[in-house]
Amino acid sequence: MCGIIGYTGSRSAVAVLLEGLRRLEYRGYDSAGIAVGDERGGLEVVRVVGKVRQLAEALEGRVVKGTFGVGHTRWATHGRPAEENAHPHRDCGGQVAVVHNGIIENYLALRRELEEEGHRFVSETDTEVIGHLVERELGKASLSEAVRRAAARLEGLFAFALVWAGEPGVVVGMRRGAPLVVGVGEGEAWVASDMAALVPFTRRVRVLEDGELVELRPDGIRVWDAEGRQRPLRVESVGWDPLWVEKGGYPHFMLKEIHEQPRVVRETASAYEEMWLEDVEELVLVGCGTSYHAGLYGKYVIEEAAKVRVAAEVASEFRYRRPVVGAKTLVVAITQSGETADTLGAVREAKQRGARVVALTNVPGSSVEREADAVMRTRAGPEIGVAATKTFVAQMVLLLRLGLELGRQRGALTEAAVRERAQELTHLPLRMERILEREGEIAELARRLWRARHVLYLGRGVLYPIALEGALKLKELSYIPAEGCAAGEMKHGVNALLEERLPVVVLLPYDRREELGRVLYEKTFANLLEVRARGAPAIAVVNEEDGEAIRACREEAGARILAIPSAHRWLLPLLAIVPLQLLAYHIARRRGCDVDQPRNLAKSVTVE
């Protein structure tokens, strides 16, 4: 959740660190700070409770010079949001400054030990023990060796970066469980918890492996493993365009990312690489939040396409029971960041039980990629908005492609059927663009709904996950309590909620020319009639080519209409989610909410 940035080179460290922190704001945070050192051995720390812009304001009246330093955006875990708990934290002499992401599980014992030795603590955080442990070792070793020795005392999952006034120009970073990426330049170097912070400066990176320690100097970078053996640098290039982390004229990153979805579908579908899936007898799709909803979509599609058992699991539940998986189980770990703690825990649990693991992620070099047996990578580019949009549709694209491939390999789908679905997928971006062109209609509907106190979403079959995701987007962005329900469950409690102040979004854009589509439409339309009979206002998502259905929803059921282009049942969710994303966005804007950084939420959940 917290964000780390470190820099050494010839530029103003303040400018570089502030820019890096701005790129990390989407992760969620409550305070921010930087520590900057100069070649004369000076080290200055500035911290604020609040946003990076407030940190920049605090720096305006101060002369903070130096060409190396570290910065941080903090999400409070140990200790309340307060300036004394904001990072960077220092040692007793104020010569070491450290920024940290993760949790030091044994920090209380370490703090007692250090206090008995005379070390003075000024914060409530676990982070502060790192600086004091390093301070204790500095009289016996260089900065990098002191950090390695100090890290050996730490228990938990974490990443940190620090500087010491005694070695100007040096930044040291270390990771164990939490991500840390090195950026490589000419005469300069960076370290960050997220590649998004590096994109404005360099595309040459080195993703640190678990337990590795890195020393950055303007004239070189050195990496060691946990035992102190030097490791090769192994620089790779990342294809992310710096423009992807700019708003590009849109008022919010989220709106820009919604509008990027046609491109994302096109590029993700075309980049899919086939895998040989013989001996797979069942699949388990694990994820959290939006990624779990993608997995639930995958369950419907893959099960039908490949005639194989598929389970969709919440990763935090999967990892804390004793799942029955084995050598013929394929576990697909779905995580946008590749660093979600519960999903990584699920991967380790599955591998211990002999299952094969495929990582489905958006971030090159992430932890889940390194731990998996194979990788499916979305081509969404960095997603800055905390509420996932384009990565969700990209995940669904890959799960659909996986289902088609598995169906072909198992003989459940003919080559012609696979080609037909794959061909229709290539037409999907144009259909998405038609929905985006109707944004004004959706914004007008938001004007009528933004005062709602609760909203209900109903879906059936492959659109049930879209009801869940539509509700999640609304509650994340606008703070309106929203619930996604299986339409067939209305009589089992949901009907008790229906009344004139509860808007209900009903998903029924099925192609009624197909037998199953007709059945799903008719049953869901009956639910819509129930909603209206009890006086609740209804919004119907319908097939724009089905004039009869549109008339019935508008006239017989009295519903407001959101029309989307037609598609095969397996592809409908990729279209149906777009108006729900836009509806949530425009409702949140009308309510004055922070769309890109909803309160109490973070983009990458790296701690439990």
Side-chain angles (χ1 to χ4, degrees):
M1 290 181 179
C2 305
I4 291 172
I5 180 71
Y7 172 73
T8 183
S10 58
R11 311 189 204 194
S12 163
V14 169
V16 174
L17 295 175
L18 286 176
E19 181 62 24
L21 291 179
R22 290 187 185 101
R23 306 297 179 172
L24 294 171
E25 286 190 285
Y26 75 96
R27 294 170 67 96
Y29 68 106
D30 48 53
S31 58
I34 63 170
V36 173
D38 60 41
E39 66 279 0
R40 297 185 304 276
L43 184 65
E44 188 159 0
V45 174
V46 181
R47 308 178 296 185
V48 300
V49 175
K51 300 294 186 181
V52 172
R53 66 175 178 272
Q54 291 164 284
L55 176 62
E57 290 168 1
L59 286 160
E60 282 179 0
R62 305 175 64 163
V63 180
V64 180
K65 294 184 178 180
T67 57
F68 73 101
V70 291
H72 192 263
T73 54
R74 176 183 188 248
W75 180 276
T77 52
H78 291 79
R80 69 193 188 284
E83 184 177 339
E84 64 267 23
N85 291 329
H87 297 213
H89 288 285
R90 286 168 282 190
D91 64 336
C92 295
Q95 299 297 292
V96 174
V98 59
V99 294
H100 158 239
N101 181 17
I103 293 177
I104 308 300
E105 294 175 354
N106 61 332
Y107 86 100
L108 286 174
L110 291 172
R111 179 169 178 151
R112 285 193 295 270
E113 175 187 319
L114 289 160
E115 285 175 332
E116 288 172 2
E117 295 176 6
H119 289 264
R120 303 181 308 279
F121 285 77
V122 296
S123 79
E124 304 169 280
T125 71
D126 55 342
T127 305
E128 197 177 355
V129 301
I130 301 172
H132 290 284
L133 286 171
V134 171
E135 177 188 22
R136 187 170 67 179
E137 298 293 336
L138 279 171
K140 316 166 193 174
S142 66
L143 177 59
S144 296
E145 178 60 19
V147 171
R148 191 180 73 80
R149 292 179 185 179
R153 298 292 314 280
L154 304 177
E155 297 175 6
L157 302 178
F158 53 81
F160 62 82
L162 55 78
V163 292
W164 176 40
E167 287 192 27
V170 178
V171 178
V172 175
M174 191 263 179
R175 68 156 293 184
R176 185 190 299 159
L180 207 60
V181 185
V182 176
V184 182
E186 295 296 328
E188 56 187 348
W190 302 258
V191 64
S193 53
D194 192 317
M195 287 190 190
L198 304 179
V199 169
F201 309 114
T202 183
R203 297 191 204 176
R204 300 174 63 220
V205 302
R206 163 67 148 83
V207 180
L208 292 186
E209 300 287 343
D210 220 32
E212 286 187 333
L213 182 147
V214 63
E215 178 190 89
L216 310 180
R217 297 176 180 268
D219 59 354
I221 299 169
R222 292 194 293 172
V223 179
W224 295 270
D225 65 16
E227 284 70 45
R229 297 178 296 239
Q230 192 159 349
R231 306 282 292 170
L233 188 56
R234 297 195 317 273
V235 177
E236 59 181 308
S237 296
V238 177
W240 286 1
D241 191 324
L243 293 178
W244 288 352
V245 293
E246 302 289 346
K247 290 181 182 175
Y250 289 91
H252 296 94
F253 280 110
M254 182 185 176
L255 186 61
K256 173 176 177 277
E257 288 157 5
I258 291 172
H259 280 264
E260 286 177 339
Q261 289 178 129
R263 172 192 64 80
V264 169
V265 168
R266 188 179 298 113
E267 294 182 4
T268 299
S270 63
Y272 177 77
E273 297 179 0
E274 292 188 358
M275 295 181 289
W276 184 243
L277 301 165
E278 66 176 343
D279 296 330
V280 172
E281 292 185 354
E282 65 173 354
L283 283 83
V284 179
L285 313 178
V286 297
C288 299
T290 289
S291 293
Y292 165 68
H293 296 159
L296 191 57
Y297 160 83
K299 170 183 169 60
Y300 281 95
V301 172
I302 298 171
E303 214 163 48
E304 184 179 350
K307 304 298 185 289
V308 63
R309 292 191 304 275
V310 183
E313 300 260 8
V314 176
S316 57
E317 291 297 314
F318 179 86
R319 67 179 295 200
Y320 288 120
R321 59 182 178 81
R322 293 176 174 82
V324 181
V325 298
K328 295 190 176 181
T329 305
L330 183 69
V331 173
V332 181
I334 309 169
T335 159
Q336 183 280 138
S337 66
E339 305 293 346
T340 307
D342 283 314
T343 306
L344 286 168
V347 166
R348 291 159 189 155
E349 179 70 23
K351 295 195 76 172
Q352 283 180 357
R353 295 176 180 274
R356 287 176 283 173
V357 175
V358 172
L360 198 170
T361 186
N362 188 51
V363 178
S366 59
S367 294
V368 76
E369 283 197 356
R370 293 194 298 277
E371 297 201 23
D373 301 302
V375 175
M376 294 192 297
R377 191 181 294 165
T378 57
R379 296 300 194 272
E383 187 175 64
I384 305 302
V386 168
T389 52
K390 63 180 180 175
T391 55
F392 177 60
V393 300
Q395 289 168 350
M396 289 194 289
V397 166
L398 289 183
L399 290 168
L400 173 61
R401 290 299 306 267
L402 179 64
L404 295 176
E405 182 182 344
L406 189 57
R408 178 180 59 78
Q409 291 185 16
R410 291 172 60 86
L413 288 177
T414 65
E415 293 283 354
V418 172
R419 284 196 302 272
E420 185 178 355
R421 296 288 82 78
Q423 183 64 26
E424 188 170 4
L425 187 55
T426 66
H427 299 315
L428 207 66
L430 291 176
R431 296 174 187 176
M432 282 183 148
E433 288 169 0
R434 279 164 46 196
I435 299 172
L436 293 168
E437 289 168 1
R438 297 171 183 161
E439 185 177 348
E441 300 172 23
I442 299 167
E444 174 60 23
L445 181 58
R447 187 180 67 82
R448 298 174 180 271
L449 296 178
W450 71 275
R451 289 187 178 91
R453 292 187 294 178
H454 302 84
V455 179
L456 185 66
Y457 291 72
L458 297 178
R460 192 182 292 263
V462 75
L463 289 175
Y464 169 51
I466 303 307
L468 295 174
E469 178 63 13
L472 178 61
K473 289 285 96 63
L474 186 66
K475 72 178 75 168
E476 284 180 321
L477 296 175
S478 69
Y479 319 139
I480 295 174
E483 182 179 359
C485 299
E489 291 292 293
M490 283 191 66
K491 292 181 173 64
H492 302 278
V494 179
N495 277 352
L497 302 175
L498 297 176
E499 46 102 10
E500 62 184 11
R501 294 173 297 177
L502 177 71
V504 182
V505 179
V506 184
L507 296 163
L508 35 69
Y510 292 105
D511 184 347
R512 294 190 296 151
R513 295 169 295 183
E514 179 208 17
E515 181 181 0
L516 183 54
R518 176 181 56 78
V519 171
L520 290 169
Y521 170 84
E522 290 175 354
K523 290 189 174 295
T524 311
F525 183 73
N527 297 130
L528 176 59
L529 293 178
E530 284 187 83
V531 167
R532 293 301 298 132
R534 287 161 175 80
I539 301 96
V541 180
V542 297
N543 182 340
E544 69 179 9
E545 297 174 8
D546 193 338
E548 183 180 343
I550 291 174
R551 284 192 298 275
C553 292
R554 181 176 286 132
E555 297 169 10
E556 186 177 347
R560 299 189 180 279
I561 300 299
L562 287 174
I564 66 172
S566 63
H568 184 272
R569 183 167 21 87
W570 297 345
L571 281 75
L572 268 181
L574 286 89
L575 295 174
I577 190 55
V578 178
L580 302 189
Q581 293 168 341
L582 288 170
L583 185 63
Y585 169 81
H586 283 287
I587 288 175
R589 283 204 69 181
R590 284 197 167 271
R591 291 170 67 90
C593 301
D594 189 340
V595 175
D596 284 336
Q597 297 172 48
R599 68 188 185 201
N600 303 330
L601 298 179
K603 185 69 176 173
S604 179
V605 183
T606 56
V607 296
E608 294 185 62

